C-alpha cells in the first residue's frame, strides 16, 4: 500500500483533465465520417433498421446494396453511439423524424450536433481518458517515476491529434486507446488482465477493420509470453472472440449474413476496389508524407513523438522490458505502414495522418523512460517545453479544426490557425449551448484545466521516486 500511496488522486485528476479536454470541444457534425456513423446509430435506435436512406443525400460516405443505403464503415463507433442517441432522445423528447433532414433545417442540425457531442464524450473521449490513466500506470511500472508516467500520458492524450480525434465519431482515437489498454493488459499478465487485453483488441477490429494488422503485434506478444503455459492464454482468446462478436451481430442485423461488410458496397470511391478494400502495399513516398510531409506529416502536429523511439530503445535495453518495448515499437511501425498502403492515405479532410494515429499511445510509452533517464534540470525543462508546444498545437486543432481540407499545403498553419483559430471560429460547450462567445468558452476551459494540470505536476513532483517493477 505504501508503494502506491497518493497515486489515486493523480489517476483521478489525469482522467478528469483528459476527459474534460476532449469532451469540451466539438467537431463538425456534418463531416461525412461523423454523419454516416451517427445516421446509422439514429436509424437503429429510432427505426430499428440499419439503412440510412432518409439521410443518404447528406453524406458521400455510404454503401449501396439494392435500393438501400447503409453505413460503409466498420460498425464499432456506430454501436458505441447508440446509447448516446437513446439517452439524448429520452432527455430531450426529440427524434429525427420530427425534422426535415436538410442542411437548411436548423433544428435538424442542432439535433445532430447534440447527439454527435454526447456520442463523442461517452465514446472516444472516455476511452482516451481511460487509456491515459492506464498508460500512466504502465509507464510508472516500467520506469518507477511518477513524473515519467504523467509526462507520457499527457503527451499521448493532449500532445497529439488524438485529442482532436477524440471529439469526433471517427475510430482512430478509440483504436489508439484500445491498443494502450491491450498493451497494458498483456504487460500486467494474469487471467483478468489478459481478458481485458483480448476484449480491447477484439473491439478495436469492430471499430476499424485494419486494426487487426497492428493489433496482431500485441496478440503475438501475448502468445509468446505465455508459450510455456498455453492454458493461461485462453481468457485472452475467449475475450477477443467476445469483443469481435458484435461485428457479426451487426452484419446479420443489417445484411442478413455475418460475412458481408459495408466496404464491399462503397459508393463513389473506386479506389476501394484495389487490393483488399483499398489496402495494397506501402509506398515510400507516402510514408515520407505521413511522417514529415507539410500537409499530413506527423512531425508538424505531434512533435513530441519525435523522441519516442529513443525511449523505446532505452526500454529495450533492459531484458525485463524488452518484449514490451519491441511490441510497442512494432505497433508504432505497422500503423503508418498500413496507412502508407491505403489508396486514400491522406484521409480526405483531416488534420495530421489520421489513419496512422493509432500508433500514438503505444509510441508515447517511449517518452517515459526518456524522461526518467534525464538527470539535469535544463534537459527536463527542454523536454517539457516541447510537450507544451505539442499541447498548444493540438489545443488549436481540437478547438478549431480536426478536418483540415487537403488543398492546404501547410495544413496546421493555413487551415487551422489562419482559417479558423485566429478568427475565433471554435467549437466549445459554452459557445454552442450557453450562448457564450467562442473565446469565452476557450477561457473557461483554461480556467478549469490549468489549475488541475498544475496540481498534477505538483503532486508528481512531491511523490517520492518509485522502484522499477518487473513485468
Amino acid at each position: 500500500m505504501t508503494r502506491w500511496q497518493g497515486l489515486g488522486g493523480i489517476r483521478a485528476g489525469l482522467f478528469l483533465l483528459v476527459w474534460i479536454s476532449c469532451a469540451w470541444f466539438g467537431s463538425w457534425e456534418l463531416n461525412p465520417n461523423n454523419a454516416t456513423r451517427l445516421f446509422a446509430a439514429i436509424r437503429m435506435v429510432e427505426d430499428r433498421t440499419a439503412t440510412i436512406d432518409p439521410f443518404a443525400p447528406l453524406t458521400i460516405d455510404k454503401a449501396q446494396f439494392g435500393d438501400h443505403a447503409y453505413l460503409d464503415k466498420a460498425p464499432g463507433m456506430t454501436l458505441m453511439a447508440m446509447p448516446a442517441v437513446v439517452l439524448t432522445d429520452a432527455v430531450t423528447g426529440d427524434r429525427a423524424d420530427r425534422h426535415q433532414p436538410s442542411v437548411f433545417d436548423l433544428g435538424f442540425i442542432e439535433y445532430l450536433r447534440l447527439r454527435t457531442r454526447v456520442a463523442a464524450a461517452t465514446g472516444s473521449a472516455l476511452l482516451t481518458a481511460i487509456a491515459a490513466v492506464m498508460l500512466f500506470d504502465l509507464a510508472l511500472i516500467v520506469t518507477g517515476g511518477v513524473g515519467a508516467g504523467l509526462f507520457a500520458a499527457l503527451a499521448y492524450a493532449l500532445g497529439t491529434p488524438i485529442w482532436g480525434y477524440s471529439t469526433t465519431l471517427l475510430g482512430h482515437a478509440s483504436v489508439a486507446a484500445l491498443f494502450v489498454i491491450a498493451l497494458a493488459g498483456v504487460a500486467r499478465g494474469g487471467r483478468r488482465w489478459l481478458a481485458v487485453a483480448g476484449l480491447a483488441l477484439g473491439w478495436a477490429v469492430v471499430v476499424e477493420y485494419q486494426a487487426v494488422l497492428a493489433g496482431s503485434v500485441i496478440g503475438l506478444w501475448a502468445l509468446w509470453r505465455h508459450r510455456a503455459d498455453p492454458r493461461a492464454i485462453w481468457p485472452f482468446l475467449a475475450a477477443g472472440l467476445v469483443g469481435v462478436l458484435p461485428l457479426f451481430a451487426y452484419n446479420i442485423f443489417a445484411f442478413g449474413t455475418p460475412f458481408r461488410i459495408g466496404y464491399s458496397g462503397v459508393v463513389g470511391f473506386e479506389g476501394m476496389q484495389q487490393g483488399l478494400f483499398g489496402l495494397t502495399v506501402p509506398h515510400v513516398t507516402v510514408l515520407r508524407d505521413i511522417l514529415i510531409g507539410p500537409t499530413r506529416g506527423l512531425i508538424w502536429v505531434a512533435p513530441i513523438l519525435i523522441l519516442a523511439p529513443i525511449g523505446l530503445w532505452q526500454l529495450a535495453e533492459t531484458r525485463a522490458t524488452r518484449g514490451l518495448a519491441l511490441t510497442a515499437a512494432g505497433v508504432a511501425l505497422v500503423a503508418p505502414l498500413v496507412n502508407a498502403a491505403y489508396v486514400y492515405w491522406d484521409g480526405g479532410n483531416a488534420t495530421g495522418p489520421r489513419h496512422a494515429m493509432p500508433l500514438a499511445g503505444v509510441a508515447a510509452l517511449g517518452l517515459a523512460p526518456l524522461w526518467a533517464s534525464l538527470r539535469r534540470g535544463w534537459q527536463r525543462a527542454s523536454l517539457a517545453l516541447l510537450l507544451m508546444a505539442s499541447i498548444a498545437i493540438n489545443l488549436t486543432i481540437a478547438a478549431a479544426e480536426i478536418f483540415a481540407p487537403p488543398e492546404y499545403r501547410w495544413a496546421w498553419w493555413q487551415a487551422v490557425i489562419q482559417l479558423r483559430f485566429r478568427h475565433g471560429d471554435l467549437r466549445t460547450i459554452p459557445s454552442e449551448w450557453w450562448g457564450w462567445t467562442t473565446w469565452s468558452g476557450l477561457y473557461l476551459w483554461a480556467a478549469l484545466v490549468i489549475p488541475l494540470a498544475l496540481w498534477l505536476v505538483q503532486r508528481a513532483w512531491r511523490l517520492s521516486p518509485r522502484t522499477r517493477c518487473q513485468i
Side-chain angles (χ1 to χ4, degrees):
M1 294 297 296
T2 303
R3 173 180 177 75
W4 302 105
Q5 186 176 2
L7 294 179
I10 289 183
R11 293 189 186 99
L14 176 61
F15 176 90
L16 287 174
L17 174 65
V18 173
W19 184 77
I20 290 173
S21 297
C22 293
W24 194 264
F25 303 104
S27 60
W28 186 37
E29 56 279 352
L30 282 176
N31 171 269
N33 273 286
N34 267 340
T36 193
R37 289 175 167 92
L38 186 62
F39 291 158
I42 291 169
R43 288 282 284 169
M44 284 195 286
V45 168
E46 297 183 357
D47 300 298
R48 305 297 189 269
T49 179
T51 66
I52 61 169
D53 296 338
F55 308 118
L58 298 178
T59 178
I60 60 172
D61 287 347
K62 54 196 168 190
Q64 191 77 30
F65 296 101
D67 296 328
H68 297 291
Y70 294 84
L71 171 73
D72 66 337
K73 315 292 183 186
M77 295 307 297
T78 288
L79 298 177
M80 288 170 61
M82 290 176 66
V85 176
V86 172
L87 175 64
T88 312
D89 282 6
V91 171
T92 64
D94 201 3
R95 289 172 51 93
D97 57 15
R98 296 178 182 175
H99 304 277
Q100 180 68 30
S102 166
V103 297
F104 302 107
D105 186 332
L106 297 182
F108 178 68
I109 299 302
E110 185 172 328
Y111 167 92
L112 290 181
R113 181 180 301 132
L114 179 59
R115 282 148 187 80
T116 301
R117 301 297 186 272
V118 175
T122 57
S124 287
L126 184 60
L127 279 175
T128 298
I130 293 171
V133 175
M134 294 192 69
L135 182 61
F136 166 78
D137 277 348
L138 181 58
L140 175 61
I141 289 172
V142 299
T143 67
V146 178
L150 184 62
F151 185 85
L154 292 176
Y156 149 64
L158 301 182
T160 73
I162 288 299
W163 186 357
Y165 284 112
S166 295
T167 71
T168 75
L169 301 189
L170 281 67
H172 313 306
S174 288
V175 171
L178 291 165
F179 281 171
V180 170
I181 293 169
L183 186 70
V186 176
R188 287 174 175 269
R191 292 179 177 272
R192 183 176 301 177
W193 279 108
L194 283 173
V196 169
L199 189 65
L201 288 179
W203 185 250
V205 176
V206 183
V207 173
E208 294 285 355
Y209 297 129
Q210 63 269 31
V212 70
L213 299 172
S216 293
V217 178
I218 303 175
L220 290 172
W221 183 44
L223 295 175
W224 175 258
R225 289 199 75 191
H226 298 279
R227 63 191 182 281
D229 183 15
R231 290 180 299 177
I233 207 66
W234 281 113
F236 175 81
L237 297 175
L241 178 61
V242 170
V244 81
L245 281 179
L247 170 61
F248 299 109
Y250 169 82
N251 288 342
I252 292 172
F253 175 75
F255 309 120
T257 172
F259 304 113
R260 174 183 287 179
I261 62 174
Y263 278 144
S264 63
V266 169
V267 175
F269 293 90
E270 290 76 13
M272 296 297 291
Q273 306 304 318
Q274 299 181 32
L276 180 63
F277 298 118
L279 284 179
T280 55
V281 296
H283 299 279
V284 174
T285 55
V286 172
L287 185 62
R288 180 195 62 204
D289 287 339
I290 289 169
L291 297 178
I292 63 174
T295 306
R296 293 289 180 264
L298 186 66
I299 189 175
W300 306 111
V301 292
I304 190 64
L305 289 184
I306 299 169
L307 302 176
I310 300 173
L312 291 177
W313 182 274
Q314 293 173 333
L315 208 59
E317 291 180 328
T318 303
R319 181 180 180 85
T321 54
R322 186 169 299 150
L324 174 64
L326 293 176
T327 302
V331 175
L333 178 62
V334 170
L337 287 176
V338 172
N339 191 172
Y342 187 40
V343 173
Y344 301 108
W345 67 271
D346 65 345
N349 285 14
T351 306
R354 67 181 180 89
H355 293 296
M357 288 318 302
L359 66 81
V362 294
L365 176 64
L367 297 172
L370 177 62
W371 178 271
S373 69
L374 301 179
R375 293 293 177 261
R376 298 184 181 275
W378 67 267
Q379 294 173 325
R380 289 193 171 184
S382 299
L383 202 57
L385 286 174
L386 181 59
L387 174 59
M388 291 173 64
S390 287
I391 291 175
I393 289 170
N394 285 284
L395 168 61
T396 65
I397 292 171
E401 185 61 276
I402 190 62
F403 299 124
E407 59 265 25
Y408 292 93
R409 176 171 171 76
W410 295 95
W412 174 70
W413 179 250
Q414 294 175 317
V416 177
I417 298 298
Q418 292 189 327
L419 186 64
R420 301 220 180 263
F421 190 82
R422 75 186 185 98
H423 298 295
D425 189 0
L426 317 176
R427 295 183 176 92
T428 70
I429 289 175
S431 60
E432 291 192 323
W433 307 111
W434 305 345
W436 292 28
T437 67
T438 56
W439 290 120
S440 296
L442 181 64
Y443 298 152
L444 180 58
W445 168 83
L448 292 173
V449 304
I450 289 178
L452 179 56
L454 293 175
W455 179 84
L456 285 170
V457 172
Q458 182 262 349
R459 290 297 300 159
W461 182 272
R462 299 187 72 175
L463 282 175
S464 60
R466 307 291 171 176
T467 303
R468 181 182 300 223
C469 296
Q470 300 288 323
I471 62 170

